[in-house]
Amino acid sequence: MTQKNRLASGGRIDHQRPLNFTYNGKALTGFHGDTVASALLANGVDIVGRSFKYSRPRGIMAAGAEEPNALLQLGATEATQTPNVRATQQDLFEGLVASSTNGWPSPENDAMGFVGKVGARFMPPGFYYKTFMFPQSMWGTYEKFIRKAAGFGRSSLESDVDVYDNINQHADVLIVGAGPAGLSAALAAAKSGARIILADEQSEMGGSLLDSPALIDGQPADEWAVSAIEELSSFDNVMLLSRSTVNGYHDHNFLTIHERCTDHVSDCAVNGQIRQRMHRVRAKWVVLATGSHERPLVFGNNDIPGVMLASAVSTYIRRYAVAPGNKLVLMTTNDNAYQAAFDWADAGHEVVAIVDTRANPSGACVEAAKSRGLKVIIGSAVIEAKGDKRVNGVLIAGIDEVGEKVTGSVEPYDCDILASSGGWSPAIHLSCHTGSRPVWSDEVIGFVPGETVQKQLSAGAINGSFSLESCLKEGTEQGLIAIRNAGFDIEDRSAPKTAPVNEDRAMALFHIPHTKSTSRGPKQFVDFQNDVTASAIELATREGFESIEHVKRYTAMGFGTDQGKTGNINGMAIAAKSLNKSIPETGTTIFRPNYTPVTFGAITGRNVGELFDPERYTAIHRWHVEQGALFEDVGQWKRPWYYPKAGESIQDTLNRECTATRESVGILDASTLGKIDIQGKDAREFLGRVYTNAWAKLAIGKCRYGLMCGEDGMVFDDGVTACLGENHFLMTTTTGGAARVLSWLEIYHQTEWPEMEVYFNSVTDHWSTATISGPNARKVLAKLTDDIELDAESFKFMDWHTGTVAGVPARVFRISFTGELSYEINVSANYGLAVWEKIMEAGSEFNITPYGTESMHVLRAEKGFIIVGQDTDGSVHPHDINHGWAVVDSKPFSFIGKRGMKRADCVRPNRKQLVGLKTKVPDAVIPEGAQAVNDFEQPVPMDMLGHVTSSYYSANLGRSIAMGMIKSGLSRIGETVYYPLADGRVIEAEICSPVFYDPKGERQRV
Amino acid sequence: MQRYSGFGLVKHALSYHENWQRVWRNPTPKPKYDVIIVGGGGHGLATAYYLAKVHNITNVAVVEKGYLGGGNTARNTTIVRSNYLWDESAHLYEHAMKLWEGLSQELNYNVMFSQRGVLNLGHTLQDMRDINRRVNANRLNGIDGEVLDAQGVKEIEPMMDCSDRPRYPVMGASFQPRAGVARHDAVAWGYARAADALGVDLFQQCEVNGFIKEDGAAIGVTTKQHGEIRAGRIGCVVAGNSGVVAKMAGFRLPIESHPLQALVSEPIKPILNSVTMSNQVHGYVSQSDKGDLVIGAGIDGYLGYGQRGSYATIEHNIQAIVELFPCFSRVRMNRQWGGIVDTTADACPIMSATPVENLFFNCGWGTGGFKATPGSGHAFAETLALGKASSLAKPFSMFRFHDGALIDEHGAAGVAH
Amino acid sequence: MFYIYCPYCEEHREEEEFHASGEAHIPRPSDPDNCTDAEWGEYLFFRTNPRGLHHELWVHGIGCRKFFNITRDTVSYEIKETYKIGAKPQFTHAEEKV
């Protein structure tokens, strides 16, 4: 196909650099500098998709971010499939593969189009709320059909191969938009030396200057823009970001800029490059120079391909050398749009007529049109477009002065392109993100930023200052103010000069009348992407949806990926009129981030996969990996779970590990337990306040188990704390609770008891901890130390000693979580692996066996030791878990948790209590999480007694063991409860003591 | 009430949809109502509807400062499930679930309750223990649910990365097949329309700015727009502003109001089958009938009435979703927003008498209010009709925060939303 | 995304370095054992939760680890001041006693 709509010269494209691309499988050619949209228009592609609800053919309507129709699927490979790419914002590149997203077999000949034509009548807004209800069971089936119509493009089915990045920026002034206002703001501010970021969504900066016929300081506007950008790029303190959309404006002047680094080159970034980058900007001051969006007019069949925004027609001609048609009709409410007709004529094409809705337009452009010999029809409007897959004519009629009624006769005209302009809506999106409410201006015929809540200024069309002259002036002024507000001195600078234009007032017209009523006339689209029509809005208001929010939600207006950029104001105005209210009385329009959609990948940056959350390894990690350990995630830690040998099932491994520990010696990497170094003269008193048990008398060299509760009395953490010196303690916490406990200690110290002299420091990472456990533990340790007396008298259970282990200074704690003779050998983390390997060597004659967290769980459960977080859940206090022995109410200070656990509900008789559970069938293991009942034949809902918290097969005992909560369990020892399982089995268990092994605790004291 | 049906739609099409009746009236306030509901969100409207329908109390006004269903009803991610751990909450949410299952027909308004099933993922051994515990409890409470392993999860959501690659690999999940999503606006509108048809007066743009009290009892409200309106009983259902309204009545609540954010992607072709939720990686996602991925996570940590939250929360949320579904990396986020959620310490609601006689509060639903809408309305209507807590509402008294009878869905179930 | 001045570090840092820790100026009752359940419950769970000025406790967790107070508007999210533990806020409600 030739580029039938391409002009022979002109535009900002490179006519010498053709680019090949495919659209719906057809090979097409465009030029370097094209967008996909301009290239498609150049190639005469009229239909780019089918509408969402009615399957109507749709063409390209706009040339920028406001385009509602041209959403394409992009990507040459599965991994690079990108849905919903807006063709007007996607640069063309060699080899680009694009396709339309709706329409089968093709958007030109869509089978659903028939349904749309016939069925549209039965699909008023909210029709789905009124039907598909009968019979109840059928909704799932109806929904399947509804979902088939869902979505535009499709997600890739493969993982993305591209890399995305986040970068933090601190700016003195961030200027959003590099049109006339933004460029003049940047020029005014640049010399200050302040850090300035100028961001613009387009591939080339300049905004409206790139297709403006005006002169600035004697230069053509586009040339002036190029030299302005050149000047700015000579400043080291100015960062210019093109293809970079400021998509969100958050609290305290935090903004995000979505930069597309390689999307204009390929659908897949080449090696090492970043596809997209999110700039996370903290700016002292922000200047919004975001411009405005042209409003299309709402009239009959205004969605037929070939109906475009007036400014888009100009842009395609002037910037891309594309004239998408031959015979133009222009309809406008304002002077500005006349340029489209002039450009059209200058491109050598026929202007059929300029239809001006105003009764007596008198601006300079009207004169210019007349002097060019163009036909201007005033006081009239295009009330309906004609055509099927492309406009082939219009109906023009006279209208009254307020634009509410057709007054004259209806005249048909032939044309193949229809441009319309209803004026311009300031792009206030970012200003709204901050919570600032926009205000309606009759002067502007649009919403402008209201009272600001951030350090924010705005310049140019966003304020409704649409003329080039005022954009340049406001830009310069606001740029200077911003830079001074940010604390910089700078000389005044005069605004760039351009000739003022004599413009007549625009007409506030949002809905072109028709000879038929809105409900009976042809469809008049307001929100093209969501197929919302004027009659839908009127119907919504008739049905009582009177708040604009209701209207929007009922009709889905403004909920598309264009977020109502072209439709919202028209829709509000139609609703207001229908309700007999003014626009500001009807409500306001609030935009939320994002201004335009942002790739998930750009938001996540590199923070996925292993960087999603840091992985913490102990010093011995490499050894575990080499031994084939499987790992368990505990908090951020990777802990060895178990060490399977070839051919072993998990149960085989556990049996081997547990047996070896009880019979000889096992070794556990306990480095992950939280360790907090506590010092200061009040350290001991502090412990007494945060633990439930007593600490006043713990002697230097001794360790003690402590239980920690919240103020509600519920168990929150536990661990062993050692007295290192009179004013010095080392607290251990659970692996997952370390950070929480440290913060807990700090908050009480800093906010409640600042008078106490005590200091906390996390030393978890400083130490590597190898726990050797089992009857031969002493023998192993003896081979590695000659300065620690190990006999039972010199080194008692719950003592700790310093000395040298494997040639390295060590702290050795004789504490036990297995119930066996155990030593926790702590060495500086740097020595951790070496010492571990020495221990393995020394232990080899005793078949020293590494065990992981799973065997640790079994061994401790044999002893009835709890794990906070597994056997407790934040709803149990110490007495509930039979740990009353660790609560010392007689302490003088009312320790944390004491009052809480005495509340009425905490002392009621039938609370759940932690008990042991012995299955009647010895090798039946109750699944953890199983719920106990007294009567397993009771119909649902059943009376549940409590759940199993820990349950294992114990090789040492040759039977299963379990712990669990049972209502009043401690007084039901010996009784039977039942566990009805999902598979229909019922496991019978006897309530017993949770201490299954060595109930007197002799083995750990040998 | 004009009855909605496919036949009616065809009939109205023939008259160009010009003759549809209003969904609700614009009444003028009477001087006195039997019951005033403060707050015209889903819960308040449901309360009004069940008062009229079940208890035959039709002299009821709903007073809403904005527009109906414009608070959290309009801002949530529409997930409906009942697989709560503790009996008290399980019974309440399952009661709601049963009402959901016939709601479109009951209201003659299609709320598009889509029982697509909800997966609550487990990523650690402790997650799986908690999941087993919860599913067992659900089963014995008569609530559907099963425990799946990673393979089972993959069968339901083929696009989820259930391999060992993710930072926290998926180990399994609980799956409640009857759970799903519904069309949030339709719930508010459906209840409003049905309540209006039974005689309930609905007032929009009518802000309560004080309570009229006599001998310590509330006997009415003062409003900005319509002055005094008296009532026999008053029920406040003002999520996001409960603390503010309680302060007007002279007491404090065990509540903090936090921003809760959510977001949607651009609409894409159907790719998700169910609702996926994960607490370990902090995110949940479903796909609407329109094709948007509807995504949310936890609350922002600070107090906030701004209906905005921090961008970092959104970042973590999307990281979590891309971590679960790496194929979504090139999908784009369209829009984000925030609601205000009233959180309690035990992640359970308050449906309660208050220190002020005749004044009742229904609040504290935190991040999980939408799913409860019918059950909340039903139980609160009974409470207002009786003048004391209904059996379902009883455990949810605000005074449980005095005696300690919390229902800790936070700590125990580890499942939010 | 807040930009928070840490009164200990004496500079503005990003919100991500901080963690909100609830309402400030709630002293632990001096004699818990003699509190009623209601009094203890109020201390634990009941909050002013204002729409407007709020004194709140934050910690510079990824920084100096110090707790400090912020006076913030809970609607506009504007931070009026930050101050050290023990100091009094400059911005208060008319009826408020801090």
Side-chain angles (χ1 to χ4, degrees):
Chain A
M1 195 191 278
T2 57
Q3 298 184 45
K4 68 172 192 176
N5 289 329
R6 184 75 73 178
L7 301 172
S9 63
R12 306 186 67 75
I13 54 163
D14 187 341
H15 293 259
Q16 306 310 312
R17 289 174 69 188
L19 296 171
N20 300 301
F21 71 107
T22 68
Y23 169 69
N24 284 345
K26 275 197 296 260
L28 301 173
T29 312
F31 289 119
H32 195 269
D34 261 330
T35 61
V36 173
S38 66
L40 288 174
L41 287 171
N43 283 281
V45 173
D46 293 335
I47 300 175
V48 292
R50 287 276 169 166
S51 79
F52 193 72
K53 191 165 156 186
Y54 302 130
S55 287
R56 289 169 69 108
R58 290 283 162 79
I60 294 164
M61 210 178 103
E66 68 276 36
E67 169 62 37
N69 295 331
L71 301 180
L72 303 180
Q73 182 79 19
L74 218 69
T77 64
E78 184 57 38
T80 59
Q81 285 304 310
T82 314
N84 304 350
V85 174
R86 193 169 274 115
T88 52
Q89 292 189 294
Q90 171 64 50
D91 289 347
L92 192 65
F93 55 77
E94 179 64 29
L96 179 141
V97 177
S99 55
S100 54
T101 61
N102 277 336
W104 182 90
S106 72
E108 286 81 15
N109 299 297
D110 177 31
M112 287 295 285
F114 173 74
V115 178
K117 267 182 198 163
V118 177
R121 279 186 88 163
F122 308 107
M123 293 190 276
F127 74 96
Y128 29 78
Y129 301 132
K130 295 173 176 162
T131 182
F132 302 133
M133 285 178 279
F134 313 100
Q136 188 177 331
S137 59
M138 279 294 285
W139 167 242
T141 312
Y142 298 134
E143 193 185 25
K144 275 196 196 104
F145 283 98
I146 293 173
R147 280 176 90 85
K148 273 200 180 143
F152 294 104
R154 68 173 181 89
S155 164
S156 163
L157 302 177
E158 291 177 9
S159 297
D160 199 347
V161 290
D162 274 328
V163 178
Y164 301 83
D165 213 0
N166 291 170
I167 186 169
N168 294 315
Q169 307 275 12
H170 292 265
D172 292 305
V173 175
L174 168 63
I175 300 165
V176 187
L183 282 176
S184 7
L187 286 170
K191 274 194 189 144
S192 62
R195 284 176 299 185
I196 295 168
I197 298 176
L198 175 62
D200 190 89
E201 64 180 345
Q202 300 204 33
S203 52
E204 187 178 5
M205 289 188 164
S208 61
L209 298 176
L210 299 178
D211 43 53
S212 165
L215 295 177
I216 302 175
D217 291 340
Q219 253 182 313
D222 56 341
E223 287 175 27
W224 181 86
V226 170
S227 53
I229 293 153
E230 227 162 72
E231 184 185 340
L232 288 170
S233 58
S234 70
F235 289 94
D236 289 342
N237 58 310
V238 179
M239 176 185 276
L240 300 174
L241 295 174
S242 60
R243 299 188 182 90
S244 299
T245 307
V246 181
N247 63 289
Y249 193 161
H250 303 265
D251 287 302
H252 302 184
N253 264 13
F254 179 87
L255 298 94
T256 50
I257 307 178
H258 179 213
E259 181 184 12
R260 280 86 61 196
C261 309
T262 65
D263 284 359
H264 60 295
V265 184
S266 166
D267 65 4
C268 180
V270 290
N271 302 341
Q273 289 192 330
I274 305 298
R275 179 176 174 231
Q276 297 180 355
R277 178 181 287 121
M278 191 68 98
H279 300 257
R280 308 165 86 252
V281 186
R282 185 70 70 177
K284 280 190 188 149
W285 278 84
V286 170
V287 179
L288 298 180
T290 49
S292 55
H293 295 128
E294 194 169 22
R295 280 191 301 275
L297 283 163
V298 178
F299 55 92
N301 295 329
N302 59 335
D303 67 327
I304 299 176
V307 180
M308 295 177 82
L309 287 169
S311 61
V313 171
S314 278
T315 300
Y316 284 116
I317 293 171
R318 299 183 71 95
R319 228 178 127 172
Y320 301 106
V322 174
N326 292 301
K327 296 169 74 175
L328 173 86
V329 168
L330 169 74
M331 165 161 61
T332 180
T333 61
N334 58 78
D335 286 9
N336 185 284
Y338 277 66
Q339 187 62 42
F342 303 161
D343 290 336
W344 193 259
D346 292 344
H349 288 312
E350 180 189 350
V351 175
V352 177
I354 297 172
V355 185
D356 197 318
T357 59
R358 296 170 293 185
N360 278 304
S362 63
C365 59
V366 184
E367 293 314 309
K370 284 178 183 156
S371 66
R372 280 168 172 265
L374 301 180
K375 179 182 175 105
V376 180
I377 308 173
I378 59 168
S380 298
V382 174
I383 63 165
E384 187 175 335
K386 291 286 182 192
D388 184 8
K389 293 174 184 172
R390 172 83 196 193
V391 176
N392 58 24
V394 294
L395 300 180
I396 296 175
I399 57 170
D400 65 356
E401 275 188 25
V402 285
E404 285 181 4
K405 279 199 297 284
V406 173
T407 52
S409 60
V410 179
E411 301 288 337
Y413 286 80
D414 284 348
C415 69
D416 63 358
I417 176 162
L418 170 56
S420 90
S421 174
W424 293 79
S425 300
I428 54 172
H429 306 68
L430 291 171
S431 180
C432 291
H433 293 180
T434 65
S436 161
R437 315 273 302 177
V439 293
W440 177 259
S441 161
D442 282 329
E443 183 66 28
V444 174
I445 317 179
F447 283 100
V448 293
E451 198 182 328
T452 58
V453 293
Q454 298 293 334
K455 291 180 172 170
Q456 167 201 329
L457 301 163
S458 50
I462 181 180
N463 293 335
S465 308
F466 295 124
S467 76
L468 179 57
E469 191 189 17
S470 57
C471 286
L472 296 168
K473 184 163 159 287
E474 281 185 17
T476 306
E477 283 167 7
Q478 300 302 310
L480 290 170
I481 294 172
I483 214 72
R484 285 170 185 152
N485 286 352
F488 292 83
D489 273 340
I490 193 162
E491 284 175 24
D492 272 337
R493 178 178 169 128
S494 56
K497 297 270 179 306
T498 188
V501 179
N502 168 26
E503 280 201 19
D504 194 5
R505 265 192 69 81
M507 176 176 178
L509 181 61
F510 308 95
H511 183 192
I512 304 290
H514 196 275
T515 51
K516 292 181 180 162
S517 68
T518 312
S519 53
R520 299 189 180 214
K523 287 205 175 326
Q524 305 168 337
F525 286 90
V526 176
D527 179 324
F528 295 81
Q529 201 177 97
N530 282 339
D531 268 351
V532 180
T533 61
S535 74
I537 294 167
E538 290 185 5
L539 172 58
T541 58
R542 272 203 306 281
E543 288 194 83
F545 294 97
E546 294 175 349
S547 151
I548 192 64
E549 280 301 323
H550 276 166
V551 173
K552 285 163 80 170
R553 286 167 177 277
Y554 191 60
T555 61
M557 178 176 81
F559 283 87
T561 69
D562 56 340
Q563 292 221 39
K565 290 186 180 69
T566 53
N568 271 8
I569 301 299
N570 287 333
M572 283 188 67
I574 292 165
K577 192 165 140 194
S578 176
L579 292 165
N580 252 324
K581 288 182 182 171
S582 69
I583 291 175
E585 278 169 351
T586 308
T588 180
T589 180
I590 294 291
F591 297 98
R592 315 240 173 231
N594 294 312
Y595 166 71
T596 48
V598 177
T599 313
F600 282 3
I603 296 167
T604 60
R606 297 171 192 253
N607 302 310
V608 282
E610 61 180 1
L611 295 180
F612 176 69
D613 199 26
E615 289 186 355
R616 294 178 80 181
Y617 306 129
T618 72
I620 308 155
H621 186 76
R622 197 183 74 207
W623 189 91
H624 303 315
V625 173
E626 285 165 4
Q627 299 300 310
L630 297 180
F631 291 86
E632 175 186 1
D633 285 305
V634 184
Q636 291 172 325
W637 290 99
K638 290 282 182 190
R639 295 197 73 179
W641 184 20
Y642 61 103
Y643 298 82
K645 290 192 170 168
E648 281 184 345
S649 70
I650 178 167
Q651 190 60 53
D652 294 340
T653 306
L654 301 182
N655 292 351
R656 175 176 54 75
E657 291 176 5
C658 290
T659 311
T661 304
R662 291 264 183 247
E663 290 179 355
S664 179
V665 62
I667 180 167
L668 172 83
D669 182 354
S671 309
T672 64
L673 283 187
K675 291 176 274 293
I676 300 171
D677 188 271
I678 303 175
Q679 301 192 37
K681 72 177 173 55
D682 296 316
R684 185 181 292 275
E685 167 64 17
F686 197 92
L687 290 176
R689 295 182 180 191
V690 296
Y691 276 130
T692 58
N693 49 338
W695 294 86
K697 293 188 183 136
L698 184 71
I700 299 171
K702 294 285 178 190
C703 308
R704 180 169 291 167
Y705 173 82
L707 199 57
M708 221 178 260
C709 291
E711 290 282 20
D712 58 359
M714 301 303 160
V715 175
F716 148 80
D717 207 82
D718 70 347
V720 169
T721 291
C723 183
L724 304 184
E726 188 44 43
N727 299 327
H728 191 188
F729 296 83
L730 182 73
M731 173 187 281
T732 61
T733 72
T734 58
T735 296
R740 199 168 57 221
V741 171
L742 179 63
S743 175
W744 181 248
L745 303 177
E746 289 283 6
I747 196 171
Y748 272 89
H749 177 230
Q750 293 182 34
T751 69
E752 288 295 341
W753 309 315
E755 70 286 356
M756 294 179 84
E757 192 184 310
V758 58
Y759 305 91
F760 311 99
N761 200 4
S762 166
V763 294
T764 305
D765 293 336
H766 301 196
W767 299 92
S768 178
T769 309
T771 300
I772 53 174
S773 195
N776 287 321
R778 185 177 282 132
K779 290 179 197 156
V780 175
L781 185 53
K783 291 173 72 179
L784 295 166
T785 181
D786 45 21
D787 58 357
I788 303 175
E789 297 292 332
L790 295 176
D791 62 279
E793 271 312 296
S794 312
F795 197 161
K796 291 198 182 75
F797 180 57
M798 296 306 275
D799 283 358
W800 72 274
H801 285 266
T802 54
T804 311
V805 175
V808 170
R811 282 178 185 162
V812 180
F813 298 80
R814 198 182 151 187
I815 56 181
S816 179
F817 198 40
T818 60
E820 294 296 329
L821 171 66
S822 293
Y823 300 93
E824 288 197 355
I825 302 159
N826 286 264
V827 297
S828 174
N830 292 341
Y831 296 120
L833 180 58
V835 170
W836 179 277
E837 284 173 335
K838 293 274 187 204
I839 299 170
M840 289 306 298
E841 208 178 295
S844 65
E845 65 174 292
F846 306 103
N847 185 33
I848 190 166
T849 300
Y851 65 93
T853 51
E854 195 64 27
S855 287
M856 176 189 83
H857 282 201
V858 178
L859 292 163
R860 64 89 203 182
E862 289 170 353
K863 288 290 300 170
F865 296 147
I866 62 154
I867 291 181
V868 169
Q870 176 172 344
D871 300 299
T872 71
D873 62 6
S875 73
V876 294
H877 58 59
H879 302 286
D880 292 335
I881 54 169
N882 205 15
H883 274 51
W885 53 269
V887 180
V888 180
D889 275 353
S890 57
K891 287 195 283 183
F893 190 87
S894 182
F895 61 86
I896 297 174
K898 182 182 177 189
R899 179 63 189 85
M901 67 183 84
K902 293 186 190 310
R903 290 173 298 163
D905 190 70
C906 296
V907 296
R908 75 178 146 82
N910 60 341
R911 285 183 71 86
K912 290 177 186 168
Q913 293 165 325
L914 188 70
V915 293
L917 297 159
K918 223 189 298 189
T919 52
K920 289 282 158 76
V921 179
D923 57 0
V925 181
I926 322 172
E928 285 168 349
Q931 299 278 353
V933 296
N934 284 328
D935 169 10
F936 60 86
E937 290 180 326
Q938 185 189 5
V940 294
M942 297 170 86
D943 294 318
M944 285 174 260
L945 306 170
H947 73 290
V948 172
T949 60
S950 298
S951 181
Y952 311 95
Y953 180 77
S954 162
N956 291 309
L957 294 160
R959 59 158 299 124
S960 74
I961 56 169
M963 281 191 272
M965 303 300 292
I966 295 287
K967 255 180 207 165
S968 307
L970 292 170
S971 56
R972 293 189 60 188
I973 303 286
E975 294 180 24
T976 298
V977 291
Y978 300 91
Y979 291 90
L981 305 182
D983 59 12
R985 283 184 302 148
V986 176
I987 297 183
E988 192 177 348
E990 180 191 317
I991 302 171
C992 61
S993 156
V995 186
F996 293 92
Y997 189 77
D998 184 24
K1000 290 186 180 154
E1002 286 161 349
R1003 296 179 71 93
Q1004 61 197 9
R1005 297 177 181 275
V1006 294
Chain B
M1 182 170 80
Q2 183 178 37
R3 209 171 149 70
Y4 290 161
S5 67
F7 174 75
L9 200 63
V10 171
K11 197 182 73 181
H12 281 282
L14 299 178
S15 56
Y16 305 93
H17 302 289
E18 286 166 351
N19 302 316
W20 287 103
Q21 282 174 14
R22 287 181 62 94
V23 276
W24 48 70
R25 297 162 293 132
N26 257 342
T28 33
K30 301 179 209 165
K32 181 164 180 194
Y33 289 90
D34 292 340
V35 178
I36 288 178
I37 309 288
V38 182
H43 288 228
L45 293 164
T47 305
Y49 169 74
Y50 291 116
L51 268 173
K53 176 83 181 179
V54 179
H55 304 282
N56 210 18
I57 301 171
T58 56
N59 186 26
V60 174
V62 177
V63 182
E64 165 57 46
K65 77 167 177 179
Y67 56 94
L68 298 177
N72 291 340
T73 304
R75 289 159 204 282
N76 66 84
T77 46
T78 81
I79 297 168
V80 175
R81 61 181 180 86
S82 65
N83 54 351
Y84 279 67
L85 173 69
W86 298 106
D87 296 347
E88 296 87 345
S89 31
H91 292 157
L92 177 61
Y93 286 99
E94 178 59 16
H95 181 60
M97 176 66 82
K98 293 208 169 86
L99 292 169
W100 275 113
E101 287 175 325
L103 195 60
S104 293
Q105 292 71 32
E106 160 106 26
L107 300 177
N108 181 230
Y109 206 86
N110 191 349
V111 300
M112 301 183 202
F113 179 43
S114 172
Q115 293 177 292
R116 328 187 59 73
V118 168
L119 290 164
N120 290 101
L121 301 182
H123 302 262
T124 65
L125 294 169
Q126 187 58 40
D127 281 355
M128 293 312 296
R129 286 183 202 107
D130 291 337
I131 282 170
N132 275 294
R133 176 187 181 189
R134 182 164 46 77
V135 172
N136 277 315
N138 292 158
R139 185 168 46 80
L140 302 191
N141 266 326
I143 298 167
D144 61 320
E146 57 188 303
V147 180
L148 303 175
D149 60 9
Q151 186 54 41
V153 173
K154 183 90 183 162
E155 281 164 20
I156 289 175
E157 282 308 354
M159 295 321 296
M160 196 188 301
D161 187 345
C162 294
S163 72
D164 288 338
R165 182 211 58 86
R167 171 66 183 85
Y168 295 104
V170 174
M171 295 186 78
S174 72
F175 185 62
Q176 187 185 17
R178 284 161 69 233
V181 291
R183 170 81 192 139
H184 52 0
D185 292 327
V187 177
W189 299 339
Y191 273 119
R193 171 171 168 269
D196 172 270
L198 293 170
V200 172
D201 285 353
L202 308 174
F203 302 104
Q204 305 188 68
Q205 309 291 333
C206 180
E207 183 174 354
V208 168
N209 55 11
F211 291 93
I212 313 167
K213 287 195 204 171
E214 209 172 80
D215 302 331
I219 57 161
V221 297
T222 59
T223 67
K224 259 188 193 165
Q225 290 77 5
H226 297 295
E228 292 191 354
I229 311 175
R230 309 230 160 201
R233 292 195 180 117
I234 301 166
C236 292
V237 201
V238 288
N241 283 295
S242 304
V244 177
V245 177
K247 195 178 169 195
M248 284 178 204
F251 57 89
R252 294 196 305 176
L253 290 167
I255 271 180
E256 286 193 319
S257 300
H258 286 267
L260 176 67
Q261 302 184 71
L263 61 102
V264 287
S265 76
E266 297 183 309
I268 55 174
K269 293 276 186 282
I271 189 164
L272 291 180
N273 299 315
S274 67
V275 182
T276 296
M277 312 178 75
S278 168
N279 269 40
Q280 174 72 26
V281 303
H282 291 297
Y284 49 90
V285 58
S286 64
Q287 188 171 19
S288 75
D289 284 345
K290 208 179 147 210
D292 311 7
L293 301 178
V294 183
I295 292 170
I299 59 171
D300 281 87
Y302 47 81
L303 219 64
Y305 289 91
Q307 296 188 331
R308 301 188 309 285
S310 292
Y311 176 67
T313 308
I314 296 289
E315 286 180 312
H316 293 312
N317 194 177
I318 293 183
Q319 288 159 16
I321 298 307
V322 174
E323 182 70 354
L324 290 172
F325 296 95
C327 66
F328 290 163
S329 167
R330 295 173 94 94
V331 173
R332 291 182 296 187
M333 164 179 159
N334 193 17
R335 198 161 36 89
Q336 67 168 89
W337 65 91
I340 313 164
V341 295
D342 292 341
T343 60
T344 59
D346 60 359
C348 277
I350 291 170
M351 284 193 280
S352 180
T354 67
V356 178
E357 204 183 325
N358 296 340
L359 180 62
F360 297 80
F361 261 71
N362 180 352
C363 61
W365 293 91
T367 58
F370 179 71
K371 66 177 74 69
T373 306
S376 161
H378 202 265
F380 198 51
E382 190 179 338
T383 300
L384 286 166
L386 295 173
K388 66 181 175 82
S390 72
S391 58
L392 276 177
K394 204 167 177 198
F396 299 98
S397 160
M398 69 181 274
F399 301 106
R400 72 180 185 273
F401 294 96
H402 285 163
D403 64 21
L406 272 59
I407 306 153
D408 197 351
E409 286 289 341
H410 251 327
V415 177
H417 323 294
Chain C
M1 288 282 277
F2 301 165
Y3 201 38
I4 299 172
Y5 183 82
C6 172
Y8 293 96
C9 298
E10 301 187 337
E11 57 182 43
H12 278 91
R13 306 294 296 177
E14 294 294 328
E15 181 186 324
E16 290 144 295
E17 293 186 10
F18 300 86
H19 187 76
S21 304
E23 187 172 343
H25 307 300
I26 302 175
R28 189 173 194 258
S30 56
D31 187 3
D33 297 350
N34 282 316
C35 285
T36 62
D37 273 6
E39 285 165 346
W40 194 249
E42 295 273 333
Y43 161 61
L44 282 185
F45 300 119
F46 288 67
R47 297 292 177 260
T48 56
N49 196 27
R51 193 183 173 95
L53 281 192
H54 187 232
H55 305 295
E56 54 198 19
L57 188 63
W58 286 71
V59 61
H60 196 180
I62 307 172
C64 64
R65 273 175 33 199
K66 287 284 198 183
F67 286 84
F68 63 96
N69 296 320
I70 292 182
T71 306
R72 188 173 59 90
D73 187 311
T74 59
V75 181
S76 73
Y77 297 174
E78 184 191 354
I79 292 176
K80 301 283 187 187
E81 61 181 336
T82 62
Y83 54 102
K84 294 179 182 175
I85 299 297
K88 294 238 182 291
Q90 304 299 306
F91 294 83
T92 53
H93 297 290
E95 78 262 37
E96 190 179 25
K97 286 188 211 115
V98 176

